[in-house]
Amino acid sequence: MSLKGDVCVVTGACGFLGEHLVRLMLTEENLEEIRLLDRNIRTELVQELQGKYSETRVTVFEGDIRDADLLRRACQGASLVFHTASLIDVLGKVEYSELHGVNVKGTQMLLEACIQENVSSFVYTSSIEVAGPNPRGDPIVNGDEQTPYSACLKFAYSRTKKEAEELCLRSQGERLRDGARLATCALRPMYIFGAGCRFTVGHMRDGIRNGNVLLRASPRRALVNPVYVGNVAHAHLQAARALRDPQRRSKVGGNMYYVADDTPPISYSDFNHAVLAPLGFGIQEKPSVPFPVLYFLCFLMEMMQTLLRPFLQFAPPLNRQLLTMLGTPFSFSYQKAKRDFGYTPKYTWEEARKTTTDWLAVMLAKERAKKRKAE
């Protein structure tokens, strides 16, 4: 079903996924209006979108996701919300109260605004880290939504995303102020890559400092299935179409779906090499420090972080849970999304890799220009 004529709100609209989702909707749908809700609006992006897609009105709502008045104004007259905004933190740099406030309280307030303003469809961007891996590093290979798993989530980020996802799914069927019912679903993408991914750029910078050799943080056996940002955006659009379709609304509503694509299973470190190798980067055969030693060092750094917390905000560059995540085989299938709302990847692995590498080439040129200027 088309979203033609709909008014849509995208939270985190200027973020990595949000921008790709907005661009995809402007290309594929003839919406009446897309409302960009973000704490940090990028003026140049808004001007480009407003100038390029004149048939759809693009409006801006700048502010905090915890601002109830802002949320009510953004949702007034809208029929669909994509909630992609969240704080991401796997190093312990952000206070738990801030993570909870944005990821959980912000989601709750947005759902309340939807109910008050009669927004009938809500698509929530969850995370693979809601699934795990657990601190034991128990693997999952090609799992699905029914795969049993004992997950004890260590990251505060993971816990807040899980709580927000549960809020979203529990809101399925809530009665709106006009008497209609709210339909919700949650999408759990794998590790998202593509143009705009700051994590890939960070690994590239580490590689530059290491003489154009990427650091190995994960063993080759720790296979995961990263997903291209364009395919994640496409899955969001397909899920929204299903929620807006009276024939499929009850089937998709209230459900969680994993979002992957046909990127070959690969470790996180070897994935970084796959997209950066064409730019002249190598990769370490083995990590500089053996994983058991690195695990012990992470333990010591975490103890130091705990001891210093009353006096100093210290975040280690690596921790045990992050090391476990990097070293655990953890992959999932997208077949349920395919069955329920027709999701199939829009972009092949070859297309996704080329687009990502081309963007990284531009970023690499900028890094080298900055280095020359500094010298």
Side-chain angles (χ1 to χ4, degrees):
M1 180 176 178
S2 170
L3 303 180
K4 183 177 180 179
D6 277 12
V7 174
C8 169
V9 178
V10 181
T11 73
C14 293
F16 176 36
L17 172 60
E19 178 185 339
H20 281 82
L21 176 57
V22 169
R23 290 183 182 277
L24 183 64
M25 283 194 290
L26 288 169
T27 301
E28 293 197 358
E29 290 285 353
N30 187 16
L31 291 99
E32 178 182 333
E33 181 183 5
I34 297 180
R35 299 174 179 174
L36 314 183
L37 195 158
D38 203 295
R39 186 167 57 179
N40 298 302
I41 292 292
R42 288 159 45 205
T43 305
E44 72 284 356
L45 172 63
V46 175
Q47 290 174 342
E48 179 194 346
L49 297 178
Q50 289 174 332
K52 191 174 181 181
Y53 304 96
S54 57
E55 64 276 10
T56 298
R57 188 163 68 253
V58 177
T59 53
V60 170
F61 290 81
E62 185 169 16
D64 197 289
I65 193 72
R66 294 164 289 187
D67 182 338
D69 180 62
L70 174 71
L71 298 182
R72 288 285 298 270
R73 287 189 288 111
C75 290
Q76 190 172 34
S79 51
L80 167 66
V81 165
F82 291 102
H83 183 27
T84 77
S86 71
L87 273 179
I88 301 174
D89 175 46
V90 294
L91 294 176
K93 292 183 177 180
V94 182
E95 290 292 335
Y96 179 78
S97 59
E98 183 73 3
L99 278 170
H100 189 273
V102 172
N103 294 349
V104 181
K105 186 63 176 176
T107 301
Q108 182 180 22
M109 293 175 69
L110 182 60
L111 286 163
E112 289 169 355
C114 288
I115 291 169
Q116 291 300 312
E117 297 300 331
N118 303 314
V119 179
S120 59
S121 300
F122 188 101
V123 180
Y124 175 67
T125 309
S126 189
S127 168
I128 181 59
E129 289 172 41
V130 168
N134 59 30
R136 297 191 302 273
D138 294 331
I140 291 181
V141 178
N142 200 35
D144 60 27
E145 290 76 1
Q146 302 304 316
T147 300
Y149 193 73
S150 175
C152 175
L153 303 175
K154 299 292 285 185
F155 289 143
Y157 165 69
S158 305
R159 296 198 302 273
T160 58
K161 289 295 285 185
K162 183 175 178 61
E163 191 174 344
E165 181 188 280
E166 290 170 348
L167 280 172
C168 167
L169 298 182
R170 282 203 304 269
S171 296
Q172 165 68 17
E174 285 281 341
R175 188 176 294 278
L176 307 179
R177 201 157 55 89
D178 65 0
R181 299 283 182 175
L182 177 65
T184 68
C185 71
L187 305 185
R188 288 185 187 174
M190 307 299 107
Y191 169 74
I192 307 176
F193 71 91
C197 179
R198 58 189 174 93
F199 298 112
T200 315
V201 172
H203 294 302
M204 182 186 73
R205 288 172 178 153
D206 290 339
I208 292 171
R209 287 191 287 268
N210 196 42
N212 292 338
V213 177
L214 300 173
L215 304 177
R216 178 168 291 283
S218 54
R220 286 188 175 84
R221 62 170 181 78
L223 302 182
V224 294
N225 52 336
V227 59
Y228 179 55
V229 64
N231 288 327
V232 180
H234 180 59
H236 279 67
L237 188 51
Q238 291 292 85
R241 287 167 175 161
L243 290 182
R244 302 292 292 145
D245 183 351
Q247 303 278 327
R248 297 184 291 171
R249 185 176 174 87
S250 60
K251 184 179 185 67
V252 174
N255 284 313
M256 173 275 292
Y257 296 91
Y258 288 111
V259 179
D261 57 20
D262 297 325
T263 300
I266 191 170
S267 78
Y268 287 111
S269 293
D270 291 304
F271 168 79
N272 293 328
H273 186 229
V275 294
L276 283 163
L279 303 181
F281 284 84
I283 187 171
Q284 293 175 332
E285 284 296 316
K286 296 180 180 179
S288 303
V289 180
F291 283 108
V293 176
L294 200 54
Y295 195 86
F296 179 69
L297 291 175
C298 286
F299 168 73
L300 295 179
M301 287 190 290
E302 289 172 51
M303 291 295 293
M304 185 183 300
Q305 182 184 29
T306 302
L307 292 171
L308 291 176
R309 183 168 288 133
F311 318 102
L312 178 69
Q313 182 67 26
F314 165 68
L318 191 62
N319 55 55
R320 286 175 294 170
Q321 183 57 28
L322 183 54
L323 193 63
T324 299
M325 184 182 79
L326 295 171
T328 301
F330 215 64
S331 60
F332 289 83
S333 164
Y334 62 80
Q335 292 305 307
K336 182 181 178 184
K338 182 178 180 179
R339 290 192 303 270
D340 284 10
F341 56 85
Y343 164 72
T344 54
K346 181 179 177 68
Y347 304 94
T348 66
W349 160 236
E350 291 74 19
E351 291 170 321
R353 178 170 54 182
K354 183 181 185 307
T355 301
T356 304
T357 300
D358 289 348
W359 172 73
L360 286 167
V362 175
M363 301 305 293
L364 179 60
K366 290 180 179 179
E367 290 294 318
R368 287 173 174 165
K370 279 197 301 185
K371 185 177 178 181
R372 285 195 299 270
K373 187 175 180 179
E375 292 171 349

